[in-house]
Amino acid sequence: MAGRKVGNLLGLAVLSYLSRRPMHPYELSRTMRDNDDARSIKFSHGSLYMVFRQLEKAGFITEQETLREGQRPERTVYALTAEGRAELRDWMRELVAEPAHEYPRFVAALSLIAALPPGEVTELLTERRRRLAERRAAIRRLIDDATAAGTHPLFLVEEEYRLALLDADASFVAGFIERITDDWGPLWEAHHRSQGAPQEEEGAS
């Protein structure tokens, strides 16, 4: 993705929506909000307009017409170019087929977890499990409600993926708690104290 003229995933969303029909940025923003796309792609009114400019400069979209409705400001309607359609297909193929190295916050915390004492980590992980369960239940309700309303499963696949990630997270956390409790606790506590923890506690009191 680093070699792409536009690397922001919001650009991919714009290309995808414009592949259906030409739109002006405000209409596309409203469509994304109606579809709750903010759950998957971070965007704002300002960032969307910026991405439109980037895509136009790259030759992926082009102005089709300018409209004015009543007293509202003029709005420029954009259409996908042939280059934009090719970029959409190539970008999607890359994202689906090629795993990318990402930097999740929890992974960063795990890489530095020895900075906390094992007892506190166990408490925090237990709280994480509770919150994961709450989030899973909310997504499950969303899927069930959408399915009951007639939404095709194809349009819920990202929610199913979120459930799988939450299940994997919860399973890892449960195993981590077990290892801390059964095996790692004493060694971890000794390591934590060797890093100056007693002095910090005495100073705090």
Side-chain angles (χ1 to χ4, degrees), residues 42-60:
K42 184 178 180 180
F43 75 96
S44 65
H45 186 74
S47 65
L48 185 62
Y49 275 85
M50 179 188 70
V51 164
F52 263 85
R53 290 194 295 270
Q54 293 173 342
L55 292 171
E56 183 181 23
K57 183 178 179 181
F60 297 147

Side-chain angles (χ1 to χ4, degrees), residues 6 10 15 25-26 39 46 49 141 154 156 160 164 174 193-194:
V6 180
L10 179 56
L15 294 177
Y26 179 79
R39 286 175 53 78
Y49 275 85
R141 285 194 300 271
L154 174 63
L156 296 170
E160 296 285 357
R193 291 183 179 278
S194 73

Side-chain angles (χ1 to χ4, degrees), residues 10-84:
L10 179 56
L12 180 67
V14 171
L15 294 177
S16 178
Y17 276 108
L18 292 185
S19 72
R20 305 175 189 180
R21 60 183 173 84
M23 297 187 207
H24 53 71
Y26 179 79
E27 180 186 11
L28 197 147
S29 176
R30 186 180 58 204
T31 301
M32 290 185 68
R33 294 185 190 282
D34 290 344
N35 292 338
D36 205 16
D37 287 325
R39 286 175 53 78
S40 304
I41 300 172
K42 184 178 180 180
F43 75 96
S44 65
H45 186 74
S47 65
L48 185 62
Y49 275 85
M50 179 188 70
V51 164
F52 263 85
R53 290 194 295 270
Q54 293 173 342
L55 292 171
E56 183 181 23
K57 183 178 179 181
F60 297 147
I61 65 175
T62 186
E63 292 186 14
Q64 184 180 71
E65 60 180 331
T66 300
L67 303 176
R68 180 188 291 276
E69 299 177 2
Q71 299 301 314
R72 295 178 179 177
E74 288 186 344
R75 287 178 174 153
T76 302
V77 176
Y78 291 87
L80 197 64
T81 65
E83 292 80 3

Side-chain angles (χ1 to χ4, degrees), residues 4-5 22 39-40 55 87 99 104 108 163 168-169 178:
R4 297 195 179 279
K5 294 180 181 179
R39 286 175 53 78
S40 304
L55 292 171
E87 176 70 3
L163 282 185
D169 195 329
E178 184 176 342

